[in-house]
Amino acid sequence: MAQLVNSVVEELSAKPYLWAGIGLTSTLFVLDSLYLSYRELSSCYNGKGVPTELQGKMSHEQLVKAREYKRDTMTYGLYHSTWSHVISTTMLIMGWLPFLWKSSESVVTACNLPLSPISQTIAFFVLSNVVDIATELPWTIYHTFVLEAKHGFNKQTPWFFFKDQVKSFLLNNALTAVFISALLYIIDWAGANFFFYVWVFVFGFSLLMMTLYPDFIAPLFDTFTELPTGPLRDSIETLAASLQFPLKKLYLVANSVRSSHSNAYFFGWGNNKRIVLFDTLLSKDLKPESDDKDGDKDDKDDKDDKEDGPQGCNVEEITAVLAHELGHWSHGHVMQMFAIQQSYMLLMFYLFQQLNTTEAIYVDYGFTEDKPVVMGLLIIFGYLLSPLSTVFGLGITLLIRKNEFQADRFAAQQGRAESLQAALIKLSTDNKSYPYHDWLHSTIHRSHPPLLERLEALKKMQ
């Protein structure tokens, strides 16, 4: 026994940075993915009935379905996170990172391409993405075609799913190649004090992606059309005008071919704001006739949808939801969050610059010959600084929760409190959101306040 203990101590002493990284991520995994998730899962077995606030608005059957959906998704999450952590930790201990790095060199050579840190790094990420697909695709397929389908949410066909996966893979690798090439060039050009220049580049790249995504990337995956003229469009445009919100475009996205989950959001810089509504957010009478997929639904399907499927929101309720969203714009929440995230990135790049010169970090993770910058980024960001990321994430969650209440208050000030409450209840039931939560899990993970808390706050605002 003493010999075993001595062997363990020697191994820990020989590779302190490796075992520190594994220890930190494993501790966070146990506390977060296991303990907190177990607490939240336990809330599904509390045996409570429909909350008083939802009496007459949520049936017992809807409560049971929401409980079953949450139980299944939480159980799936526990198994998936456990699998991911065990596999990633095992591969790390077995020297997966240096093996994949050497393999990427072989790939570049085999393709008769010039070997350089940039070309090898791009090959590394392509190989890494291929491995991720092999290990994660079965989980994604199960989640989409078994779990989500079981609860009536999945609307994707296998072909639609396949096309999405291919487009995501190609786009992800293309953007990664551009990003990594520029990042490594800047680090090499800037020398020892590269952190500020890298941050400036990441800041600019973030702005570029936020600009390009709505017009060039999102349309690759979803169909966006102008919201037809009618009572809903009139109501939204009247709201925007009353708040001096510079609305330029009002889109309806065909999310119903993907999922029956619903949402609404706005985007855009300066005076070029656009609002997007999921077609699943609209009640049946508001949906364009073309939403009846190729006219292949019969009367029985329509009846089933009306009785069991998502009911959607009416004009007043959707307008109230958008009044909440415009509350975020009025209070500057989007710019606030962007500024905080960029400040955090500046700190992270500074810490990386300080730790990147520690040769022992690379040696402990198997890089005894060369010290690839991208490996340093993965190791330091993903393992050694993981507690800092967790603390930052908690702070962001608490701030977003505060902002959500503030946006609710803004909607209430526009006289939309009652309609917003009705919309939140419909969205909750349509998305099968279970109204009960563990307080600790909710505090740490739920950026949006639980439904019952929001309803209580809105009642006080009326």
Side-chain angles (χ1 to χ4, degrees), residues 8 25 28 33 48 70 72 83 102 106 120 145 242 250 275 290-291 295 319 333 348 352 362 398 406 416 440 448 456:
V8 172
T25 53
L28 292 173
S33 297
K48 293 182 179 180
K70 180 176 181 178
D72 287 351
W83 159 267
K102 286 293 184 182
S106 301
Q120 189 171 352
F145 292 102
S242 69
L250 187 49
I275 290 176
S290 58
D291 272 14
T319 307
H333 292 160
M348 292 291 281
F352 168 68
Y362 288 91
L398 296 177
Q406 196 171 32
R416 308 279 179 177
L440 185 57
H448 284 58
E456 182 182 359

Side-chain angles (χ1 to χ4, degrees), residues 117-136:
I118 291 178
S119 62
Q120 189 171 352
T121 300
I122 292 173
F124 170 84
F125 276 106
V126 172
L127 290 177
S128 181
N129 287 336
V130 170
V131 173
D132 286 343
I133 287 177
T135 56
E136 289 297 315

Side-chain angles (χ1 to χ4, degrees), residues 374-385:
V374 69
M375 294 299 106
L377 280 168
L378 292 177
I379 293 167
I380 293 172
F381 278 26
Y383 291 92
L384 300 181
L385 295 181

Side-chain angles (χ1 to χ4, degrees), residues 389-403:
S389 299
T390 301
V391 172
F392 176 76
L394 175 59
I396 288 294
T397 297
L398 296 177
L399 178 59
I400 293 177
R401 179 177 291 216
K402 169 183 170 294
N403 290 347

Side-chain angles (χ1 to χ4, degrees), residues 339-358:
I340 292 173
Q341 289 172 340
Q342 290 304 314
S343 298
Y344 171 72
M345 290 305 302
L346 179 62
L347 171 63
M348 292 291 281
F349 282 125
Y350 173 76
L351 294 176
F352 168 68
Q353 177 181 283
Q354 301 304 111
L355 293 171
N356 189 47
T357 56
T358 306

Side-chain angles (χ1 to χ4, degrees), residues 185-389:
Y185 175 82
I186 292 171
I187 291 176
D188 181 64
W189 166 80
N193 295 313
F194 61 79
F195 84 96
F196 180 75
Y197 300 99
V198 168
W199 173 76
V200 171
F201 163 69
V202 171
F203 179 85
F205 190 83
S206 299
L207 292 178
L208 178 63
M209 291 307 300
M210 291 171 68
T211 303
L212 295 180
Y213 179 82
D215 293 320
F216 299 100
I217 298 178
L220 295 175
F221 299 91
D222 294 297
T223 301
F224 293 80
T225 58
E226 281 277 351
L227 182 68
T229 56
L232 179 58
R233 186 181 186 96
D234 293 342
S235 180
I236 295 172
E237 290 178 341
T238 299
L239 172 68
S242 69
L243 299 174
Q244 296 183 326
F245 178 77
L247 177 62
K248 296 299 181 184
K249 296 286 185 179
L250 187 49
Y251 290 119
L252 190 67
V253 59
N255 190 63
S256 54
V257 300
R258 183 186 301 279
S259 169
S260 58
H261 289 296
S262 51
N263 197 9
Y265 61 91
F266 76 89
F267 63 90
W269 296 104
N271 292 323
N272 189 28
K273 297 290 193 296
R274 309 172 195 185
I275 290 176
V276 175
L277 305 176
F278 283 29
D279 60 352
T280 46
L281 178 65
L282 279 61
S283 60
K284 189 175 180 61
D285 61 299
L286 291 177
K287 293 182 179 180
E289 293 182 5
S290 58
D291 272 14
D292 187 9
K293 300 178 180 56
D294 299 327
D296 59 357
K297 285 190 175 183
D298 57 24
D299 293 339
K300 182 179 181 299
D301 291 331
D302 287 339
K303 182 179 179 181
D304 289 342
D305 282 348
K306 188 172 182 180
E307 292 179 353
D308 301 322
Q311 299 304 300
C313 297
N314 61 34
V315 172
E316 286 301 316
E317 292 160 351
I318 294 174
T319 307
V321 170
L322 290 176
H324 165 93
E325 293 301 321
L326 297 191
H328 289 304
W329 162 77
S330 178
H331 289 291
H333 292 160
V334 176
M335 295 306 299
Q336 174 199 64
M337 201 59 57
F338 184 74
I340 292 173
Q341 289 172 340
Q342 290 304 314
S343 298
Y344 171 72
M345 290 305 302
L346 179 62
L347 171 63
M348 292 291 281
F349 282 125
Y350 173 76
L351 294 176
F352 168 68
Q353 177 181 283
Q354 301 304 111
L355 293 171
N356 189 47
T357 56
T358 306
E359 184 176 351
I361 293 177
Y362 288 91
V363 174
D364 284 6
Y365 283 82
F367 296 94
T368 55
E369 298 177 4
D370 51 358
K371 303 175 184 60
V373 173
V374 69
M375 294 299 106
L377 280 168
L378 292 177
I379 293 167
I380 293 172
F381 278 26
Y383 291 92
L384 300 181
L385 295 181
S386 55
L388 181 59
S389 299

Side-chain angles (χ1 to χ4, degrees), residues 17-63:
Y17 289 105
L18 172 64
W19 294 109
I22 292 175
L24 289 170
T25 53
S26 296
T27 299
L28 292 173
F29 165 73
V30 171
L31 293 177
D32 188 353
S33 297
L34 293 186
Y35 174 66
L36 288 179
S37 295
Y38 174 77
R39 288 179 60 112
E40 181 71 356
L41 181 60
S42 298
S43 69
C44 296
Y45 298 89
N46 56 24
K48 293 182 179 180
V50 178
T52 303
E53 298 88 341
L54 301 181
Q55 291 288 342
K57 300 166 185 174
M58 171 184 274
S59 67
H60 177 72
E61 183 182 2
Q62 288 174 318
L63 179 70

Side-chain angles (χ1 to χ4, degrees), residues 80-98:
H80 184 209
S81 61
T82 300
W83 159 267
S84 298
H85 180 73
V86 170
I87 290 297
S88 61
T89 302
T90 301
M91 294 172 74
L92 187 67
I93 294 173
M94 294 177 65
W96 173 251
L97 286 179

